[in-house]
Amino acid sequence: MLFAVAIFAPLLGSAIAGLFGKAIGDRAAMAVTILCMLLASGCGVSAFIELESGDTTAGVISLGTWVEAGTFHVDWALRYDALSAVMVAMVTCVATLIHIYSIGYMAHDENHTIWRFFSYLSLFSFAMLMLVSADNLLQLFFGWEGVGLASYLLIGYWYYRPSAGAAAMKAFIVNRVGDLGFALGIALVFFTFGSIDFSTVFGAVGQHQDAAYHVLGHTYRAYEVIGILLFIGAMGKSAQIGLHVWLPDAMEGPTPVSALIHAATMVTAGVFLMARFSPVLDYAPGALGFVTFIGATTALFAATVGCTQTDIKRVIAYSTCSQLGYMFVAAGVGAYQASIFHLLTHAFFKALLFLTAGSVIHAMSDEQDMRKMGGIWRLIPLTYTMMWVGNLALGGIPFFSGYYSKDAIIEAAWASCSLVGHYGFWCTVIAAFLTAFYSWRLIILTFHGAPRADHHTMEHVHESPAVMTVPLLLLAVGAVFAGWAFHDQMIGPDWKAFWGDAIQIAASNHVLHDMEDVPGWVSLTPLVVGLAGIATAYVFYMFVPGIPGALAAAFPWAYRFLLNKWYFDELYAAVIIRPVQYLAQGLWQIGDVTIIDGIPNGIAALTEDGSSQVVKIQNGSIAVYAFAMLIGLVLLVSIFLLFLR
Amino acid sequence: MNWTLALPEIVLAVLGMAILMFGVLQKRHNPFHLASMLTVGAFLVAGMLVIAGPEGLGYHGQFTSDPFSRFVQVLVLVASSLTVIASLDYNDHANLRRFEFPVLILFATVGMLVMAGASNLMTLYVGLELQSLSIYVLAAFARDELRSTEAGLKYFVLGSLASGLLLYGISLVYGFSGTMEFDKLAMTLADPTKVSAGLIVGIVFIVAGLAFKVSAVPFHMWTPDVYEGAPTPVTLLMGTAPKVAAMALLVRAMATPFGHLLGQWQQLIVLVSIASMLLGALAAIGQKNIKRLMAYSSIGHMGYVLIGLAAGTPNGIRGVLIYLVTYVFMNAGTFACIIAMRRRGRSLERISDLGGLGKTDPMLAMWLTVFMFSMAGIPPFAGFWGKYFIFTAAVQSGMWALAVIGVLTSVIGAFYYIRIIKVMYFDTAEAAFDPRSASLSTLAAVSGLFTTLFFVFPAPLVGAAEAAAKVLFG
């Protein structure tokens, strides 16, 4: 079965590279993982084409029983439908390109454990594929945690850098918060439906509409609670506002990791979860409203922060955060198809942007600060072009892929005709302006103007090797054409035929239909604001370079607010981290050192004390000894006569 | 009258006198080694006679032979033999090569055999005195050494006091009950109206006299001083055979004549047991001399053994007997190691002298480690099983407090036993000890193997102990 091969081939590659990497060497480890990934992408794409052409039908591939405990039954099974097939095809293709790109990017790695890197990358690919092809929530959670683990390992790949270790831990711990919600959601799904199999759960959606939980005198609808808990899980994984703090720091990992995990695939797992659970979520309007609100806020928030960052990768990281917000807005207003569509196009152009940024960093001798770049566009023309392609797609310029998907989301937000939907509309429109602005700010700062790098670095600026540029070109093809190619099938009139049963929506949900009838100005707005953003960027950074500085000086509080990322890290440090540290310090000093250690130590001290007291009487004098004997005798006789008769 | 019941004791006494004569008449060589060998041979003969001898009550009810007495007698003979073997090397180096030494051990052993078979308060006293008198002399055997003579004198004075207490107790019991025979006492005391205050006081005095011999608190004061001062083989003897015999005597006296008063003396034994365990555990911590340490250790061990008696059940007595067996072997082994602590002909006694033994003499360090682990009660060594049977019996009798205190004091005790191991393996190495003699190596190896492998074949011993215990609480 092609589909199963696509999923398990990366595991094989990862196992070989991970277990025998040291023995077989870096080159062999690279070869074996890339061969497995090529096999996986071939099978993944074939499986997708077969399904869409009608050669095979959607179904479930059972692999055996996992858990069997009373009424709790979980199988290892692969769900083969349009949603998972799209995701598998996309993940395998992007992952394969990034594997190949990594050959060039990691060539100068001072760590000399490149086999480890490739093993982790393949392990991540497997976990991600497991996530998207799961047939039940537990298996999905398995993949969910698997990608979290791989992400942790890869962010901390340069473990000897303290910042990388801290970033890896931050990502892992912040994700735990979301995972708690997810795990509770799974438990409630089982509690409500008596099963966590997707087929069973989705088939029973109609029967449990009125299910409710009564907690502390309040009544909550079951679907709303489940929806919100699952979304909390998604917030952690997809870096939505509040739980987004780990994503910018995750840029400590090697750039291919940022491209694969923190842009194209893993962070979109939350969006995938929303789409996968669409049959239930569509009956939870409250939860969907919450999703829209958070998504819209994130889109706007991350875009504002992206405008002030100076690290090239961090700009793109905030951009990712912002684009994920768009996807959640789409899911929140019921346009799940649009969210997956944007997920797909975003995967291509964001991977392209990251890899291009990686190429720039490579050219600039590992410099990531845009303030020390500039004036290199003639030196690395291919990279420069690729950056343009990626940003055109991201900015939503017509006929690039982002144009189709992003506009669809903005239109869907308007078409939802709800208050929160309009909030989403305005947030995404403003964010679209900011997106275009910071994208061209990035291009201009990085490639144009006078060179700000030192002489030594400038001498070494060079175009990346073919092993890095070919993946860029292939991703650029996706970034340009993916929107145009899938637009009609995914969100156009044919969407029912394309998605089949993979995305089920309520009868009342006709957002996709209403999208077509939005007023003309709504359709035009994204393009207009996008072009305005580009123009503003040119004015600010190319023609009148004094403006940004003047603005920052005029509104220092606003500038600092944005530069410090809305003070989220500081807020968490003050509200959570420091209190927890104080608590831990207290528990350690009082609970552990004073009480837990203190009791045994105290007893030991008492014992030693008792020891020295006891032997004091042993002074060597026979008279004392005899006296002690007699006293003892008298004591025993008294006890005997007084108490024991 | 079935006089063959006492055949082992009679034969042993006669052989003892023969060895004495041989030693006196032997002029050309120093007869110490030969006399020692003959003594061990005499123990062997006596042992065979014990095993093959008949059972029953003889000498007008003054002497008995039953599985219990035979178990104890064999154990005493083994312990005495181990002592004689250990003394070969020590006495050579300490200039104590005198043939009277093994002969005195032999007569002490005769006393102990009589104690094990006593079924009359008078026999009990006579056996005890024979044993004690011999050991008084042995303790002061290094008569040119101040410490040894002081130890002998202390032991003698305090021992006399204890004997006095015991005799006084016997007279009280006799006065208030009209008999000294165990069986008749038991029959008399079955009637609660015949139990008077005077009789009770008499029993307490008897317990006190015997508690002195097993060095239970508060009659333990002599132990550290005498253990430290006496020649090491004598310390070994005092730690093993007389403890076994006196404990057996205490058990028999409590179980047979005073068995009906279990409810009363039980609490007394519990108190003494707890006090002994606590003192043994606490006082040993600060010790720097390993012989003193072993003295406190023996006080603690006797506390554990008394738990078995306090349980007042056949299982408890079985525990007592098994514990005594394991105790004899690990004690003998430990003292063999202590005797081997010698540098340039001088015996060493400080714990710090063991520093780095793991490097300089790995074999000796290994055996001492085995004994220390066993003393601390760490499985699978024999010491663990002794404690296991004792604590199980206590729990079965519902004496939770006793078992819990026992376990807690074992934990404290583990500290100073394991500290010795730490000194041997982790402290800086001192100069190596003098080469060991074969007798000590053999003694350590035999004791060590028994201690290590006890858990593989425990059945014969446990079975014999069970049969012996049934006699008393059948």
Side-chain angles (χ1 to χ4, degrees):
Chain A
M1 196 69 192
L2 289 173
F3 194 63
V5 172
I7 288 162
F8 287 101
L11 179 64
L12 178 71
S14 169
I16 294 175
L19 296 177
F20 309 110
K22 213 166 194 169
I24 61 178
D26 287 343
R27 297 182 71 85
M30 281 188 219
V32 77
T33 49
I34 287 171
L35 281 178
C36 285
M37 285 313 299
L38 284 171
L39 176 68
S41 52
C43 292
V45 172
S46 311
F48 173 64
I49 292 171
E50 274 190 5
L51 186 70
E52 286 314 317
S53 62
D55 288 351
T56 51
T57 49
V60 172
I61 305 160
S62 187
L63 302 171
T65 304
W66 182 6
V67 182
E68 181 85 77
T71 58
F72 188 67
H73 180 93
V74 184
D75 277 339
W76 286 107
L78 303 179
R79 191 176 174 87
Y80 181 37
D81 62 11
L83 184 57
S84 53
V86 167
M87 294 295 289
V88 166
M90 183 274 283
V91 169
T92 50
C93 287
V94 174
T96 306
L97 292 176
I98 289 172
H99 269 76
I100 296 169
Y101 177 91
S102 301
I103 298 175
Y105 192 85
M106 301 301 287
H108 306 303
D109 180 27
E110 65 266 48
N111 214 359
H112 301 300
T113 50
I114 296 173
W115 53 273
R116 194 163 62 88
F117 181 78
F118 276 82
S119 173
Y120 291 167
L121 269 190
S122 283
L123 175 68
F124 166 79
S125 309
F126 164 70
M128 187 70 203
L129 293 168
M130 208 68 197
L131 193 166
V132 297
S133 64
D135 188 44
N136 56 61
L137 277 172
L138 198 64
Q139 196 180 331
L140 197 155
F141 195 60
F142 167 76
W144 189 271
E145 293 300 304
V147 293
L149 169 70
S151 164
Y152 167 80
L153 292 171
L154 284 165
I155 296 171
Y157 176 70
W158 287 318
Y159 53 83
Y160 41 84
R161 296 183 188 168
S163 59
M169 280 195 285
K170 189 173 180 183
F172 207 72
I173 293 166
V174 173
N175 267 293
R176 293 265 82 63
V177 179
D179 290 346
L180 177 67
F182 192 14
L184 285 175
I186 295 174
L188 286 185
V189 167
F190 180 71
F191 182 70
T192 308
F193 293 94
S195 169
I196 54 171
D197 264 12
F198 289 145
S199 326
T200 319
V201 171
F202 298 157
V205 166
Q207 303 160 26
H208 300 282
Q209 292 258 20
D210 304 321
Y213 306 127
H214 306 279
V215 183
L216 301 173
H218 297 277
T219 305
Y220 303 97
R221 266 194 73 220
Y223 287 6
E224 303 282 11
V225 178
I226 290 172
I228 287 180
L229 285 173
L230 292 183
F231 178 61
I232 289 173
M235 279 173 72
K237 200 57 96 194
S238 295
Q240 293 302 287
I241 192 164
L243 296 180
H244 69 282
V245 289
W246 64 271
L247 185 59
D249 288 12
M251 298 304 132
E252 287 293 338
T255 305
V257 171
S258 311
L260 177 61
I261 300 184
H262 306 120
T265 55
M266 183 186 85
V267 288
T268 60
V271 180
F272 168 81
L273 179 66
M274 294 293 107
R276 180 54 95 197
F277 244 68
S278 57
V280 175
L281 286 176
D282 237 21
Y283 294 95
L288 283 182
F290 182 61
V291 173
T292 312
F293 175 75
I294 294 289
T297 311
T298 309
L300 181 60
F301 148 76
T304 59
V305 176
C307 294
T308 58
Q309 296 302 302
T310 53
D311 182 311
I312 186 167
K313 281 178 74 182
R314 278 184 182 250
V315 174
I316 307 178
Y318 276 104
S319 160
T320 305
C321 206
S322 170
Q323 296 302 310
L324 290 166
Y326 276 86
M327 296 177 212
F328 279 110
V329 170
V333 297
Y336 310 101
Q337 303 90 334
S339 72
I340 296 295
F341 183 40
H342 193 54
L343 190 163
L344 180 70
T345 59
H346 174 259
F348 285 109
F349 65 69
K350 190 51 65 65
L352 174 64
L353 279 172
F354 259 119
L355 295 189
T356 313
S359 182
V360 171
I361 295 166
H362 198 71
M364 298 295 293
S365 311
D366 292 330
E367 179 57 63
Q368 299 196 11
D369 192 335
M370 294 191 296
R371 287 170 302 189
K372 295 179 185 164
M373 296 180 181
I376 55 171
W377 68 278
R378 283 175 204 282
L379 299 171
I380 44 174
L382 184 65
T383 305
Y384 178 59
T385 317
M386 290 302 113
M387 189 65 94
W388 263 89
V389 172
N391 276 339
L392 286 170
L394 172 63
I397 302 307
F399 314 117
F400 285 90
S401 61
Y403 166 73
Y404 295 96
S405 54
K406 197 172 174 180
D407 279 18
I409 289 172
I410 295 175
E411 284 167 14
W414 173 267
S416 71
C417 292
S418 60
L419 193 63
V420 73
H422 281 239
Y423 173 72
F425 172 76
W426 288 111
C427 284
T428 49
V429 165
I430 300 169
F433 169 79
L434 295 170
T435 305
F437 172 74
Y438 67 66
S439 299
W440 266 267
R441 171 177 176 264
L442 185 151
I443 287 182
I444 296 165
L445 283 178
T446 307
F447 293 101
H448 294 280
R452 294 181 294 276
D454 59 50
H455 179 66
H456 188 69
T457 309
M458 288 307 290
E459 272 183 354
H460 277 84
V461 173
H462 58 283
E463 191 60 86
S464 299
V467 75
M468 286 168 73
T469 49
V470 171
L472 289 183
L473 289 169
L474 291 173
L475 283 172
V477 172
V480 176
F481 296 109
W484 171 77
F486 291 108
H487 173 252
D488 283 351
Q489 290 157 307
M490 281 192 169
I491 58 170
D494 307 331
W495 69 267
K496 272 195 177 120
F498 180 85
W499 291 111
D501 286 339
I503 293 182
Q504 301 165 18
I505 57 172
S508 57
N509 180 349
H510 30 70
V511 168
L512 278 197
H513 181 260
D514 294 348
M515 264 166 60
E516 308 296 329
D517 303 330
V518 293
W521 65 271
V522 172
S523 306
L524 271 178
T525 309
L527 178 59
V528 173
V529 298
L531 292 172
I534 297 173
T536 314
Y538 269 102
V539 172
F540 275 30
Y541 292 99
M542 196 169 253
F543 303 129
V544 196
I547 295 181
L551 275 177
F555 304 102
W557 51 271
Y559 178 70
R560 272 203 306 276
F561 185 65
L562 294 181
L563 190 66
N564 288 305
K565 303 156 254 175
W566 291 28
Y567 290 109
F568 263 101
D569 283 331
E570 288 75 8
L571 180 73
Y572 285 172
V575 176
I576 300 172
I577 298 172
R578 254 173 264 140
V580 168
Q581 276 176 342
Y582 285 135
L583 182 69
Q585 185 83 12
L587 287 177
W588 172 39
Q589 287 297 350
I590 297 167
D592 192 59
V593 175
T594 311
I595 298 175
I596 295 178
D597 286 356
I599 290 174
N601 288 348
I603 292 176
L606 263 177
T607 311
E608 267 197 288
D609 230 48
S611 168
S612 54
Q613 295 300 322
V614 161
V615 294
K616 261 187 190 160
I617 196 176
Q618 198 81 37
N619 62 357
S621 156
I622 291 188
V624 173
Y625 293 3
F627 184 68
M629 279 172 69
L630 292 177
I631 292 289
L633 183 76
V634 170
L635 217 66
L636 287 183
V637 170
S638 327
I639 290 170
F640 216 128
L641 291 177
L642 288 175
F643 300 111
L644 297 177
R645 284 208 64 199
Chain B
M1 189 180 89
N2 191 357
W3 67 274
T4 53
L5 285 177
L7 194 60
E9 289 83 352
I10 295 168
V11 169
L12 197 55
V14 170
L15 285 175
M17 283 183 267
I19 295 168
L20 197 59
M21 295 307 290
F22 160 78
V24 172
L25 296 177
Q26 170 78 12
K27 295 287 183 201
R28 274 177 298 179
H29 301 292
N30 186 327
F32 171 64
H33 277 233
L34 200 53
S36 297
M37 288 299 121
L38 288 171
T39 306
V40 174
F43 288 153
L44 208 64
V45 172
M48 287 193 293
L49 287 173
V50 167
I51 292 168
E55 292 186 8
L57 196 61
Y59 300 94
H60 301 290
Q62 295 191 36
F63 195 80
T64 186
S65 174
D66 52 27
F68 182 80
S69 74
R70 287 156 69 179
F71 188 99
V72 174
Q73 284 169 344
V74 170
L75 184 56
V76 163
L77 287 167
V78 169
S80 298
S81 309
L82 294 176
T83 309
V84 173
I85 294 168
S87 71
L88 287 176
D89 178 72
Y90 182 88
N91 291 20
D92 276 353
H93 287 86
N95 204 16
L96 296 173
R97 292 164 49 107
R98 286 196 286 275
F99 68 93
E100 292 91 345
F101 192 88
V103 175
L104 280 168
I105 292 177
L106 188 147
F107 284 119
T109 308
V110 174
M112 292 181 238
L113 297 187
V114 172
M115 284 160 75
S119 62
N120 182 302
L121 289 174
M122 219 55 232
T123 328
L124 177 159
Y125 180 74
V126 171
L128 195 64
E129 279 308 290
L130 178 54
Q131 180 249 101
S132 299
L133 283 171
S134 308
I135 295 182
Y136 297 149
V137 181
L138 282 170
F141 202 75
R143 59 188 175 198
D144 302 329
E145 226 180 276
L146 191 64
R147 283 198 312 167
S148 178
T149 44
E150 180 190 333
L153 188 65
K154 264 185 192 163
Y155 192 32
F156 175 66
V157 172
L158 294 173
S160 307
L161 180 61
S163 291
L165 296 177
L166 183 65
L167 265 184
Y168 189 53
I170 291 172
S171 71
L172 278 174
V173 169
Y174 178 70
F176 282 92
S177 66
T179 177
M180 288 202 284
E181 278 176 52
F182 286 2
D183 287 354
K184 286 184 184 153
L185 270 170
M187 278 192 291
T188 314
L189 296 180
D191 179 2
T193 56
K194 298 244 174 93
V195 182
S196 57
L199 187 78
I200 298 275
V201 173
I203 293 175
V204 178
F205 272 75
I206 292 176
V207 169
L210 292 175
F212 175 86
K213 294 294 169 194
V214 299
S215 59
V217 177
F219 311 102
H220 67 282
M221 305 287 282
W222 60 276
T223 321
D225 291 8
V226 176
Y227 265 48
E228 188 188 352
T232 311
V234 179
T235 313
L236 164 58
L237 180 70
M238 287 193 287
T240 53
K243 291 268 194 301
V244 173
M247 189 56 78
L249 202 53
L250 185 60
V251 167
R252 191 193 282 276
M254 290 300 111
T256 316
F258 309 127
H260 295 289
L261 303 176
L262 175 71
Q264 275 100 346
W265 59 255
Q266 195 173 34
Q267 297 307 313
L268 202 63
I269 300 293
V270 167
L271 282 176
V272 172
S273 164
I274 291 176
S276 301
M277 289 189 291
L278 282 176
L279 186 112
L282 290 178
I285 291 176
Q287 300 306 321
K288 297 190 170 53
N289 182 303
I290 194 163
K291 281 165 81 178
R292 272 186 102 78
L293 180 95
M294 290 307 291
Y296 286 110
S297 157
S298 81
I299 294 172
H301 282 295
M302 287 305 123
Y304 297 124
V305 175
L306 286 173
I307 294 180
L309 175 58
T313 57
N315 273 348
I317 304 304
R318 183 186 67 176
V320 167
L321 292 175
I322 293 172
Y323 201 107
L324 288 173
V325 174
T326 62
Y327 175 69
V328 162
F329 278 97
M330 54 198 189
N331 219 22
T334 308
F335 275 103
C337 296
I338 293 173
I339 294 171
M341 290 168 61
R342 189 184 298 126
R343 229 175 253 137
R344 274 179 253 107
R346 276 191 52 234
S347 281
L348 303 170
E349 292 176 359
R350 278 179 302 130
I351 293 171
S352 57
D353 290 326
L354 287 165
L357 191 65
K359 289 195 192 69
T360 54
D361 192 346
M363 200 66 187
L364 190 67
M366 184 191 81
W367 288 128
L368 194 50
T369 304
V370 166
F371 299 130
M372 289 301 121
F373 273 137
S374 181
M375 293 251 185
I378 287 166
F381 300 110
F384 164 75
W385 296 101
K387 285 200 173 69
Y388 168 78
F389 283 111
I390 292 272
F391 291 154
T392 313
V395 169
Q396 279 166 353
S397 305
M399 308 184 111
W400 288 97
L402 208 52
V404 168
I405 293 174
V407 171
L408 288 180
T409 52
S410 301
V411 172
I412 301 175
F415 164 74
Y416 55 80
Y417 293 129
I418 290 173
R419 190 179 60 183
I420 292 181
I421 298 173
K422 174 241 163 199
V423 168
M424 288 194 297
Y425 285 97
F426 298 105
D427 284 8
T428 45
E430 309 226 347
F433 291 144
D434 294 349
R436 265 171 290 138
S437 67
S439 60
L440 286 182
S441 299
T442 314
L443 192 57
V446 167
S447 308
L449 285 175
F450 177 87
T451 306
T452 315
L453 298 178
F454 172 74
F455 78 101
V456 184
F457 307 108
L461 193 66
V462 175
E466 198 157 345
K470 277 211 180 91
V471 177
L472 300 185
F473 282 107

